[in-house]
Amino acid sequence: MWKFIVRRISLALVIILCGSFIIYGVMRCMPTSFVEGLARQRAAASATTGGASYEEWLEKLNEAYHMNDDVFTGFANWLGNVLKGDFGESWKYGMSVTEKFNDVIWYSVVLNVVTLILQVAICIPLGIQAARHQYSGFDYGITVFAMLCISLPTFFLATVLKYVFAVKLGWFDLYGIVGRYYEQLDGWGKAMDMLKHMVLPTLTLTMLNIGGLTRYTRTNMLEVLNADYIRTARAKGLSEKVVINRHAFRNTLIPLVSYMSYLVPSLFSGSMITETLYQIPGIGYIAYDAMVAGDLPFTMFYSVFGLVLTQISLMLADIMYAVVDPRVRVN
Amino acid sequence: MSETTNNTNNNQNLALDDGRRVKVLSPGMMVFKRFIRNRLAIAGICILAFMFAFSFLGGIISPYRQDQVFYKYDYANKEYAGAVVNTEFRYLTRDGKELPATTRAKFTLAAKNGDPSFEAGGTTYSVVKVDEGFFRIGTSQQLGNVTALGKIVDVKPIGGATISDELKKEAIAAVQGGKNTFELDGVSYTLTAGKAKSYTLAGSEDIALASMLSFDAYSAEYAELVNNFDFRLLSETAMHAGETSFELDGVTYTLDIESETTATISVGEGDAKTPVANVSNVIVNPVNNGVFLPMDYKAAVTDAIAAHESSFEYVNAEGVTEKHTIQISVNNYVIYTEQKTMLIDMYAAPSGAHWLGTDDHGMDVMTRLMYGGRISLLMGFVVVFLELLIGIVIGGVSGYFGGWVDTLLMRFVDLFNSIPYYPMMIIAGALMDAFEVNPYTRIFMLMGIMGIMGWTGIARTVRGQILSLREQDFMVATEATGIRISRRIFRHLVPNVMPLLIVQATMSLGGIILTEATLSFLGLGIKYPLASWGTIINSASNIYVMSNFWFIWIPAGVLIVLTVLGFNFVGDGLRDAFDPKMKR
């Protein structure tokens, strides 16, 4: 068993290493790098005072940002620093990458946690009800609704929600995490203001994720309801309530919990599109901006973070399987 | 198995287990029957059929091209005329006389200093100031010397000049009367006192007028008259003197003085009174060449400016009342009026000609939706095909061979799977932008990139299935008959995975359309002038468009949702049909 876990972890490390190298290489290929943009800016700013030209600035900045090294040396340097725990300083935000990450990650976490709670609270009852009344009108309604949620493009849903709730009804702001009068509010007011700005993004994310979990719950519940022990329970003369809540639902919980355990790492990964659309300064939006600006250290950090999260969830899944199914361990 | 029974048209009594009584369906037919019994799947098929018809036939039927820009005529407040308050002298010279530019400059100086004469180009000019802003400029010429001895006054010509008797008489009378100037036949003469009772007689003839006012003839027939020197001289003198009429060549002209600087000159009396010219210190010019400003328009402008009004109404030649507004900047006035202009028909509301209006480029939204649908659907199919191709080959090889090949390929799949999708696409989009890839080539590149990024799921499915299939007896048979390996994989193993692959491909078609739309929405996908449903919604990222023009972005979104929904319904239906045990 331990041998298996060690093998799995070392594999994850190799994948993280290769993945980060690919991202690094591609980032270095970016046609207009951050450094070029900065050099152009500096050259324009100093043009009137007879300062250095674009080429001179570019040379100096390339030196300062270590852009003259080839991809392999650059990656090796980056990796060396990372192993020492130093992810460098973000070029765009002008502060330590980890510090910036610490500032913004909590927005994403709050957003995702609230979404997850809502999702569970909505999907599980819906799934169970749909399974209980299989092939009824209600069941068809739930199925179509779940399918619709799966089929919604994020940006379209977000735009429609904005159109209805922000433009037409005027209940919420279109963008941002804080309102116009944020600074004048007291502590409680500030918290409420932020919460209010989180409503639409949460609604968007919840609607997008509802479909999958509802269908999953329904499928599993159906499977359980067709099991022999449910028939036995009914034959015993137990009330329908007890049959569903005590016997069927508890057995459905096992696949549901394992399904949701895969979701836990993704709580930290942010949601790039939704955050960007609502300009919530969570990790997704900040990383998107950094990426567009060509901010190498931040993009690298974000990508490696994503890689690590994916690998952790895959590893967890594999190890869980290994625990359950001894055959996996042998291979 | 024996779901369908057929006992019609049979008169014989058949036993229950009679072979003829039981109709066995082929497996394919069974799948089909199960599929068409699924209402949602049929709904999905209908949606997809509509989408294909809409995109592929719609583009043919639509009377417009996808990049056709529409124009409209609209009234826009545009600059029509400009008016300037004249602060420079305007000159009118007598026929045959000239006033060169240098002389004009000297005159301006003299007028400013109040000098009675100035010299330019060897000629002495006299300046007679009639009123503020109105001067008569004459050339003076020494004609003779006048000597007065007591009562005897003698006039001697100098320099070959001829002095008529009349002039002589007048000069004598002037000297005797102690006058310095006198006039005769429109020429003014001056007597400049020299030494001891002698004078120099100089004749001065007006050759030019310098005025701040401008004269505009009401009609072409008066144009010549208005530029006539004498007419100008008389009318302006009369105007400055405050007289209401003057006479020239036996015709009496009346002056309607409206202010110090504006007046109308007309001829005739009562009903026969016709305006001849308008006098004003304001010069009105059209902004565009080739526009003729009628005199009454100019008069209306000058009147409005004189009255300090900011707008006035003018009845044009067709009898339509136009409203003109005047904007002032220092001495310039700009006159705006509503003019018919050709504009790009942007954001036109839905109408008979444009069922869903026009977008921000003035293109028909409906047509663009049709062509966009082609790209979105084609994109989905090509990408899925690419994914299947790569996925089947890699998954098949990996699953069939197993061992180290399998480990290597699956680790490769893991690696591919862990690359963050959107960062990669953003970088790829930026790269294509930087190399300015042609929009048509870009579609193919995008298809390629999306295919390469998305095959891993299919490879995994294929591998998983083949791992179990290869242990079955029919594979032992293929091995025994010596069929070559590629044939074993692709002819015997892969077809067995097909049902699963068809389901997965149908489901991922929807996903690809969503991804492509998202990329296009972020500006990384399809580029102008081509459109996809995502790019059409992209215009809603502009808040102005989003809140005011629902007809541009909502239909595109609905089409995307419906199409993806259709694919999902069909995929779901297929899965249930292939595997009834798994039924939902």
Side-chain angles (χ1 to χ4, degrees):
Chain A
M1 184 68 200
W2 282 113
K3 207 177 142 199
F4 171 78
I5 293 177
V6 168
R7 211 171 54 199
R8 189 66 191 79
I9 290 177
S10 52
L11 173 70
L13 285 177
V14 170
I15 288 179
I16 291 170
L17 197 68
C18 292
S20 49
F21 178 69
I22 292 174
I23 298 281
Y24 187 86
V26 174
M27 275 302 281
R28 286 291 295 268
C29 292
M30 277 273 263
T32 45
S33 70
F34 180 82
V35 172
E36 281 169 25
L38 193 64
R40 211 169 291 129
Q41 215 176 328
R42 292 273 173 90
S46 62
T48 45
T49 52
S53 70
Y54 169 70
E55 281 77 17
E56 287 165 331
W57 270 116
L58 189 63
E59 203 174 306
K60 271 192 235 170
L61 288 169
N62 270 337
E63 186 84 17
Y65 283 97
H66 303 294
M67 293 295 277
N68 288 331
D69 307 340
D70 63 272
V71 179
F72 296 100
T73 334
F75 183 70
N77 284 340
W78 175 84
L79 193 65
N81 287 333
V82 167
L83 290 179
K84 280 184 256 161
D86 174 20
F87 276 94
E89 195 173 279
S90 160
W91 295 351
K92 181 176 163 61
Y93 302 107
M95 60 200 291
S96 158
V97 165
T98 39
E99 213 176 294
K100 182 75 190 170
F101 171 72
N102 204 27
D103 283 352
V104 299
I105 184 68
W106 300 110
Y107 292 112
S108 298
V109 171
V110 169
L111 193 63
N112 284 325
V113 167
V114 175
T115 306
L116 185 66
I117 292 170
L118 277 176
Q119 203 182 323
V120 169
I122 295 169
C123 295
I124 292 183
L126 280 185
I128 290 174
Q129 286 307 313
R132 278 184 62 186
H133 309 286
Q134 199 187 3
Y135 300 134
S136 68
F138 179 77
D139 182 31
Y140 267 107
I142 293 294
T143 308
V144 171
F145 175 70
M147 282 287 210
L148 198 67
C149 288
I150 296 172
S151 311
L152 277 171
T154 318
F155 59 94
F156 181 61
L157 176 63
T159 318
V160 170
L161 288 178
K162 277 185 193 176
Y163 182 65
V164 174
F165 291 106
V167 176
K168 289 287 160 194
L169 295 175
W171 292 353
F172 304 105
D173 288 354
L174 279 169
Y175 297 124
I177 185 69
V178 292
R180 195 175 297 171
Y181 304 110
Y182 179 72
E183 288 305 323
Q184 289 134 12
L185 295 170
D186 53 5
W188 175 248
K190 282 186 180 180
M192 289 316 286
D193 192 41
M194 276 206 186
L195 271 183
K196 198 180 159 195
H197 284 83
M198 285 284 201
V199 170
L200 284 185
T202 314
L203 192 59
T204 311
L205 279 179
T206 310
M207 277 194 76
L208 290 174
N209 291 326
I210 255 179
L213 191 57
T214 309
R215 285 171 64 78
Y216 192 75
T217 312
R218 181 179 172 278
T219 315
N220 281 298
M221 193 70 187
L222 276 179
E223 217 158 274
V224 172
L225 282 176
N226 288 330
D228 292 338
Y229 56 85
I230 296 293
R231 200 176 304 137
T232 313
R234 288 208 174 107
K236 273 200 305 191
L238 291 178
S239 72
E240 186 65 15
K241 211 166 145 189
V242 174
V243 171
I244 298 296
N245 292 347
R246 302 280 298 274
H247 291 78
F249 178 60
R250 281 195 186 177
N251 281 297
T252 327
L253 271 180
I254 303 161
L256 281 184
V257 169
S258 69
Y259 177 85
M260 276 182 283
S261 70
Y262 306 145
L263 293 179
V264 171
S266 73
L267 290 180
F268 293 89
S269 66
S271 24
M272 188 180 275
I273 309 284
T274 311
E275 283 175 18
T276 308
L277 284 168
Y278 289 103
Q279 299 189 1
I280 300 293
I283 185 70
Y285 177 45
I286 295 295
Y288 177 80
D289 267 8
M291 234 173 272
V292 172
D295 181 349
L296 189 59
F298 201 91
T299 310
M300 282 310 290
F301 176 78
Y302 177 70
S303 309
V304 171
F305 181 68
L307 278 172
V308 170
L309 284 181
T310 329
Q311 287 308 313
I312 287 176
S313 61
L314 286 176
M315 242 160 62
L316 278 179
D318 282 359
I319 291 171
M320 290 289 236
Y321 277 134
V323 171
V324 179
D325 186 352
R327 282 172 300 176
V328 178
R329 276 176 255 166
V330 183
N331 288 330
Chain B
M1 275 292 164
S2 55
E3 286 171 42
T4 37
T5 53
N6 183 2
N7 51 11
T8 52
N9 305 335
N10 275 334
N11 302 329
Q12 312 153 265
N13 282 329
L14 295 167
L16 202 61
D17 58 345
D18 196 312
R20 284 171 297 169
R21 193 174 186 277
V22 182
K23 195 180 171 194
V24 180
L25 294 173
S26 71
M29 202 57 198
M30 292 276 292
V31 168
F32 178 72
K33 288 215 79 166
R34 266 189 241 122
F35 181 77
I36 58 165
R37 231 177 266 158
N38 187 332
R39 271 184 264 168
L40 288 183
I42 295 302
I45 286 282
C46 291
I47 293 174
L48 291 183
F50 169 75
M51 288 303 160
F52 276 91
F54 176 78
S55 307
F56 290 94
L57 297 180
I60 301 168
I61 294 167
S62 169
Y64 311 124
R65 281 176 289 113
Q66 64 166 328
D67 52 358
Q68 191 172 349
V69 178
F70 292 91
Y71 296 92
K72 65 173 173 189
Y73 286 95
D74 202 358
Y75 290 90
N77 219 10
K78 281 176 79 177
E79 286 184 15
Y80 182 62
V84 190
V85 173
N86 190 29
T87 51
E88 301 281 314
F89 282 112
R90 293 164 71 84
Y91 300 92
L92 181 77
T93 50
R94 198 185 273 281
D95 284 345
K97 303 288 182 191
E98 267 179 21
L99 202 63
T102 46
T103 318
R104 293 182 182 189
K106 286 258 171 81
F107 160 74
T108 319
L109 207 65
K112 207 166 123 193
N113 296 337
D115 296 340
S117 66
F118 66 94
E119 222 184 274
T123 326
T124 310
Y125 295 90
S126 66
V127 176
V128 179
K129 182 177 179 179
V130 180
D131 198 353
E132 200 64 48
F134 181 46
F135 294 86
R136 285 156 54 189
I137 305 166
T139 39
S140 35
Q141 203 176 1
Q142 290 196 350
L143 298 172
N145 288 324
V146 182
T147 37
L149 293 167
K151 288 204 171 170
I152 307 154
V153 181
D154 184 31
V155 182
K156 275 188 198 154
I158 48 172
T162 47
I163 296 175
S164 62
D165 289 343
E166 249 176 284
L167 178 59
K168 200 183 258 178
K169 213 187 276 172
E170 283 288 326
I172 292 166
V175 170
Q176 281 169 344
K179 285 201 286 188
N180 278 340
T181 56
F182 63 92
E183 263 188 49
L184 184 70
D185 294 342
V187 182
S188 56
Y189 297 90
T190 48
L191 289 165
T192 320
K195 51 182 190 230
K197 293 274 180 190
S198 75
Y199 302 88
T200 318
L201 174 68
S204 160
E205 189 191 13
D206 285 335
I207 60 150
L209 295 173
S211 167
M212 293 277 187
L213 302 179
S214 84
F215 283 66
D216 291 300
Y218 263 90
S219 55
E221 58 175 310
Y222 295 120
E224 206 180 318
L225 177 68
V226 166
N227 284 325
N228 183 311
F229 186 86
D230 291 322
F231 178 81
R232 279 286 189 91
L233 179 62
L234 287 172
S235 58
E236 207 167 339
T237 315
M239 191 177 156
H240 282 286
E243 288 160 9
T244 55
S245 68
F246 64 92
E247 218 183 276
L248 180 74
D249 297 333
V251 185
T252 310
Y253 297 92
T254 48
L255 265 170
D256 293 319
I257 300 176
E258 285 134 22
S259 74
E260 265 179 49
T261 50
T262 46
T264 314
I265 303 167
S266 29
V267 68
E269 289 286 330
D271 289 343
K273 190 170 170 180
T274 45
V276 172
N278 186 57
V279 186
S280 166
N281 66 334
V282 177
I283 302 161
V284 185
N285 285 315
V287 166
N288 295 322
N289 288 333
V291 175
F292 173 73
L293 294 181
M295 200 46 238
D296 51 347
Y297 178 76
K298 287 187 181 179
V301 173
T302 51
D303 290 350
I305 289 172
H308 301 293
E309 277 165 2
S310 62
S311 71
F312 63 95
E313 284 184 348
Y314 167 67
V315 182
N316 68 9
E318 284 107 53
V320 181
T321 311
E322 293 174 352
K323 190 174 161 43
H324 293 250
T325 46
I326 301 173
Q327 284 196 3
I328 307 163
S329 59
V330 200
N331 279 329
N332 284 305
Y333 298 83
V334 185
I335 296 131
Y336 292 90
T337 187
E338 303 249 290
Q339 282 177 78
K340 207 178 187 189
T341 341
M342 189 165 82
L343 300 169
I344 290 181
D345 195 5
M346 275 160 63
Y347 305 126
S351 64
H354 305 292
W355 287 4
L356 287 174
T358 57
D359 64 2
D360 52 341
H361 298 289
M363 299 174 183
D364 185 63
V365 174
M366 190 81 167
T367 309
R368 279 183 84 72
L369 280 178
M370 288 165 179
Y371 283 89
R374 283 188 189 182
I375 289 179
S376 289
L377 290 172
L378 266 183
M379 192 101 185
F381 279 97
V382 174
V383 172
V384 162
F385 180 75
L386 265 179
E387 286 181 358
L388 282 176
L389 201 71
I390 305 175
I392 288 174
V393 170
I394 293 194
V397 169
S398 174
Y400 182 81
F401 290 104
W404 67 267
V405 177
D406 181 37
T407 316
L408 191 75
L409 285 175
M410 281 303 114
R411 294 301 79 89
F412 184 59
V413 167
D414 280 345
L415 178 60
F416 239 94
N417 224 13
S418 61
I419 294 173
Y421 191 81
Y422 281 105
M424 211 60 190
M425 291 314 279
I426 289 168
I427 295 168
L431 270 172
M432 285 193 281
D433 280 347
F435 291 114
E436 291 172 6
V437 178
N438 165 306
Y440 292 89
T441 325
R442 196 183 167 106
I443 294 182
F444 294 109
M445 293 177 88
L446 210 60
M447 286 171 178
I449 295 169
M450 284 176 69
I452 288 168
M453 295 291 291
W455 55 270
T456 52
I458 287 171
R460 280 199 172 152
T461 312
V462 174
R463 171 190 173 263
Q465 289 292 307
I466 286 181
L467 272 183
S468 64
L469 283 172
R470 68 170 183 181
E471 306 300 337
Q472 290 189 7
D473 292 342
F474 74 94
M475 285 315 291
V476 181
T478 56
E479 209 163 337
T481 44
I483 295 170
R484 66 172 190 275
I485 290 171
S486 63
R487 207 173 157 81
R488 271 186 236 165
I489 296 175
F490 296 110
R491 288 303 297 272
H492 294 271
L493 283 174
V494 170
N496 279 299
V497 194
M498 262 309 158
L500 212 60
L501 282 183
I502 290 172
V503 173
Q504 201 171 350
T506 320
M507 298 289 234
S508 61
L509 267 172
I512 290 160
I513 289 172
L514 276 187
T515 313
E516 181 272 321
T518 309
L519 289 176
S520 294
F521 178 77
L522 293 175
L524 303 166
I526 311 295
K527 291 281 178 177
Y528 180 86
L530 296 178
S532 80
W533 289 336
T535 41
I536 294 171
I537 303 186
N538 186 18
S539 58
S541 50
N542 178 342
I543 295 302
Y544 173 68
V545 177
M546 183 189 99
S547 41
N548 292 302
F549 308 110
W550 62 269
F551 51 83
I552 292 176
W553 60 275
I554 289 200
V558 171
L559 286 180
I560 295 178
V561 174
L562 282 181
T563 310
V564 178
L565 198 63
F567 280 123
N568 282 340
F569 280 161
V570 172
D572 231 35
L574 281 175
R575 191 180 53 202
D576 290 349
F578 278 128
D579 189 356
K581 268 179 292 174
M582 283 279 291
K583 197 163 188 183
R584 281 188 281 173

